[in-house]
Amino acid sequence: VGAALDRVESALGEYHLKATAELTAAYEEKRADLATELEEAATIEADEGGDKLASLKAKWRRAAADLGALSDDKLVFLFSRQSVMPEVLSVLKAVQAIVSPALRPRLAGLDWDGFKSCCKEGKAVWGTQLFSTIGALDVMESSDADGFATAATMVPADMDADSLKAKSFVTFLMLQWVRDATALFEQKLAKQKAEEAAAAAAAADAAATEAGGEEAQEGGES
């Protein structure tokens, strides 16, 4: 039995190395595309009336594309581990905070075994479905403020992305997506609030002007 388990572990390890190499190569290949997209976005943002969220959108779209087409084989090795580093689990739970609203209240208290149980029971979005959900989620159409806020608390700004990349490249890609999607959502909300405030102020000014005109007309008539 021990020899058989050793062979399984060896095969998993070899596949993990191959999968990581493939993910790394694809990621690095797309960095030049992202650089071009960010240059174009900067030009758009510099124009008067241009989309001020263009750069954030470019980062989010690239992060979603890095994950959206993957399949469950990229998670087999990770899911086979008896334990994972805390940062890995935090990122996985942050992703679930966005894509699994029903699971959200339980996430903070889940350890690795509990998280895997949720995946096995279908309570967490996992495997190919997880990647396709990430690829399909439209941050600009989302109104799930609680989901993004919860995710943000699970991946603090000082989380070491390079260390995560060395331990689990697929989790590193998820961290990039959570950060970029959350940043875009937060700025989208801030922009909406600013526009609503400006519209309210303009409406108040218009009402005040109209009221002042009516008073002046009434005074002239008297």
Side-chain angles (χ1 to χ4, degrees), residues 5-137:
L5 289 176
D6 287 344
R7 286 194 296 272
V8 170
E9 183 64 19
S10 177
L12 281 171
E14 290 178 6
Y15 184 81
H16 173 63
L17 291 175
K18 179 183 177 182
T20 298
E22 292 173 352
L23 289 173
T24 303
Y27 177 81
E28 295 300 338
E29 181 183 350
K30 295 300 182 181
R31 292 317 91 191
D33 293 342
L34 177 58
T36 299
E37 292 162 2
L38 289 175
E39 289 178 1
E40 295 171 351
T43 300
I44 292 172
E45 291 175 347
D47 290 340
E48 184 175 354
D51 184 1
K52 305 308 179 184
L53 301 179
S55 292
L56 291 174
K57 288 178 181 178
K59 291 180 180 180
W60 156 64
R61 290 191 184 107
R62 176 51 52 195
D66 287 340
L67 289 165
L70 300 183
S71 56
D72 58 0
D73 63 303
K74 297 299 187 293
L75 293 171
V76 171
F77 180 83
L78 176 62
F79 201 73
S80 72
R81 301 302 87 192
Q82 292 185 353
S83 64
V84 295
M85 60 189 289
E87 291 82 359
V88 169
L89 181 57
S90 291
V91 171
L92 295 176
K93 292 199 290 187
V95 172
Q96 295 298 321
I98 296 173
V99 303
S100 301
L103 185 60
R104 195 177 298 156
R106 295 183 54 193
L107 286 172
L110 288 178
D111 59 11
W112 179 231
D113 287 337
F115 181 85
K116 290 201 294 183
S117 293
C118 287
C119 294
K120 292 175 182 178
E121 296 166 5
K123 296 176 181 177
V125 181
W126 194 248
T128 302
Q129 184 186 4
L130 174 61
F131 294 129
S132 62
T133 300
I134 288 173
L137 191 147

